[in-house]
Amino acid sequence: SQIHSFNSLGISLFSVFGGLLGNMDTPGILAASPMFGPMLYCLYVTVVLFVAFTILIALICESFAAVMHQAPKEGVIVSLVAWYHQTTTRDDNGHLEHGESSDESDAKNQGGLRGELTRLSEAQRQLAEGQERQKQVTKEVQVQVRQLSNQRKRLEQQLERLGHVGSSSA
């Protein structure tokens, strides 16, 4: 080979690895092939870095997905974020509103909680009504099943009598 750092496979692999760290025999590459040498080296570095960064980003995304649903532990940052959310509110367009006193904020929160409590109470009442209606329908169905069962027994008895009558007359 024209370049000493690429004489054998082992030396070539070590040279390519060193090239990723910036330790490449660029004068030798230019001397061996002034046009294709630098172009292929740049292509190699670009591809390897692209693959490496893709793997790094995949690892970060995987780690984020794994811890995303965990509740944050108490600490300074969590306390600051909680304080920020308590002291600022947003309007319907998502813009920050400032200047509310804590009494006004408490009154708003209390009104919102009362509305939520009313909504939950109504949902609970509707659920109880639905359960009561379901019990009534179940009882009605059970009565109809008993009636059908009784009718079936009567029809079977009539068929049995007709069968005996038909066999005795034959």
Side-chain angles (χ1 to χ4, degrees), residues 65-132:
V67 299
M68 188 172 75
H69 300 293
Q70 294 177 357
K73 295 178 176 52
E74 287 299 319
V76 175
I77 294 175
V78 174
S79 299
L80 285 174
V81 170
W83 171 81
Y84 176 76
H85 283 294
Q86 286 176 352
T87 58
T88 58
T89 57
R90 296 187 183 271
D91 63 9
D92 293 336
N93 296 327
H95 299 101
L96 287 176
E97 296 178 347
H98 294 285
E100 262 185 8
S101 70
S102 64
D103 291 340
E104 292 171 345
S105 178
D106 288 346
K108 265 189 181 178
N109 287 340
Q110 193 174 25
L113 290 175
R114 283 190 182 132
E116 184 70 13
L117 181 61
T118 303
R119 188 185 68 75
L120 287 174
S121 296
E122 177 63 21
Q124 186 178 18
R125 184 189 63 75
Q126 289 175 353
L127 180 63
E129 287 176 358
Q131 288 174 337
E132 187 60 37

Side-chain angles (χ1 to χ4, degrees), residues 149-162:
S149 178
N150 290 337
Q151 282 180 347
R152 181 177 173 214
K153 285 180 185 176
R154 282 193 299 262
L155 287 173
E156 286 174 348
Q157 288 173 352
Q158 286 177 355
L159 278 173
E160 189 177 302
R161 276 188 246 135
L162 288 174

Side-chain angles (χ1 to χ4, degrees), residues 32-97:
S33 178
M35 186 170 138
F36 287 114
M39 186 174 69
L40 289 175
Y41 174 66
C42 289
L43 179 67
Y44 163 74
V45 170
T46 302
V47 168
V48 169
L49 289 178
F50 178 77
V51 169
F53 282 127
T54 302
I55 291 170
L56 179 67
I57 290 170
L59 289 172
I60 290 171
C61 290
E62 187 80 22
S63 298
F64 178 75
V67 299
M68 188 172 75
H69 300 293
Q70 294 177 357
K73 295 178 176 52
E74 287 299 319
V76 175
I77 294 175
V78 174
S79 299
L80 285 174
V81 170
W83 171 81
Y84 176 76
H85 283 294
Q86 286 176 352
T87 58
T88 58
T89 57
R90 296 187 183 271
D91 63 9
D92 293 336
N93 296 327
H95 299 101
L96 287 176
E97 296 178 347

